[in-house]
Amino acid sequence: MTAQSVIEVCGVSHQVQDATGTLTILDQVEFTVAQGETVAITGSSGSGKSTLLGLLAGLDLPTSGTVRLLGHDLGALDEDARAKLRAKSVAFVFQSFQLLPHLSALENVMLPLELTGQPARTAAEAMLERVGLAERLHHYPRTLSGGEQQRVSLARAFVMKPAVLFADEPTGSLDATTGGAVIDLMFELNRENGATLVLVTHDPALASRCHRQIELAAGRLLAA
């Protein structure tokens, strides 16, 4: 891995078994991502985008090949070690928000800080104010709009000051206007934080805002 890269993917393939036999999801994928870079993973449905994102984050392991994240060979780490690495240095933004329904907005943002033993309340309140939700701290997800829920998830991600942020279709559940506002906020927060951003998207306009696009087709890399 080069001194400035935070992700290195070398000869990665991933297969799963289905009723017809072995299905190849990814086939000999290789690329690197530099520190502070913003990268969009694009391609049609079924091209392997979300599978690749999961491998980059160590949520799953490839059938063959190597993924290195922040200098760590993920295949050489056990599940607990990968989880610790994510808790320390990685954050996620999902299409479905993934907020805990029984926790308020404030409690959802405090949670990752609490899990790593960091002071939580003041930082969480400040981050929710930063995303425009200072008046919604004690509201539960069911009482928030989709755009508000995604802003809570952005606050939860960035409050950790992650080295790497993974986003999977971050506007997929939002209308165009709300989604545009959320993406503006995500890129603004990312510039302030200096994180490396890797996102999966079907949206060409969103992908074009990234420094670089990684295009997949049928599990193979077309461009990187």
Side-chain angles (χ1 to χ4, degrees):
M1 188 171 71
T2 63
Q4 296 300 313
S5 64
V6 296
I7 297 170
E8 184 176 14
V9 180
C10 297
V12 163
S13 296
H14 193 64
Q15 286 91 32
V16 297
Q17 298 295 321
D18 66 8
T20 63
T22 300
L23 179 64
T24 298
I25 307 298
L26 295 170
D27 187 10
Q28 291 294 310
V29 174
E30 295 199 12
F31 61 90
T32 62
V33 179
Q35 182 179 350
E37 198 173 13
T38 57
V39 176
I41 300 173
T42 66
S44 61
S45 295
S47 60
K49 301 186 301 299
S50 293
T51 296
L52 177 58
L53 196 73
L55 296 178
L56 299 183
L59 298 172
D60 198 0
L61 295 176
T63 305
S64 61
T66 303
V67 177
R68 296 181 67 86
L69 174 64
L70 297 166
H72 300 273
D73 178 353
L74 296 179
L77 303 179
D78 62 22
E79 188 173 344
D80 287 344
R82 295 196 303 274
K84 288 178 181 177
L85 176 61
R86 286 192 296 271
K88 179 182 178 182
S89 302
V90 174
F92 296 89
V93 177
F94 298 99
Q95 175 179 343
S96 56
F97 318 132
Q98 297 292 325
L99 301 177
L100 295 178
H102 61 285
L103 298 182
S104 68
L106 177 60
E107 291 166 339
N108 266 284
V109 177
M110 289 173 60
L111 183 60
L113 293 167
E114 292 174 333
L115 291 174
T116 55
Q118 300 180 59
R121 189 179 186 91
T122 299
E125 288 177 344
M127 185 55 70
L128 283 165
E129 181 175 2
R130 175 67 185 80
V131 301
L133 293 175
E135 305 302 318
R136 309 286 273 173
L137 300 183
H138 304 294
H139 287 69
Y140 289 86
R142 67 181 180 276
T143 70
L144 300 173
S145 69
E148 288 172 332
Q149 290 185 65
Q150 194 61 296
R151 281 190 279 159
V152 173
S153 73
L154 287 176
R156 180 182 59 188
F158 283 106
V159 77
M160 293 296 293
K161 296 181 169 56
V164 182
L165 174 66
F166 293 111
D168 192 358
E169 297 285 3
T171 59
S173 297
L174 306 175
D175 63 71
T177 300
T178 304
V182 165
I183 288 304
D184 287 344
L185 179 61
M186 185 176 74
F187 276 94
E188 186 176 338
L189 290 170
N190 197 65
R191 284 192 298 270
E192 294 171 5
N193 184 70
T196 301
L197 171 63
V198 180
L199 62 88
V200 163
T201 184
H202 285 97
D203 183 354
L206 172 54
S208 69
R209 296 184 62 166
C210 295
H211 294 134
R212 183 160 57 102
Q213 297 182 36
I214 292 172
E215 185 179 0
L216 292 173
R220 297 188 66 87
L221 195 66
L222 294 184

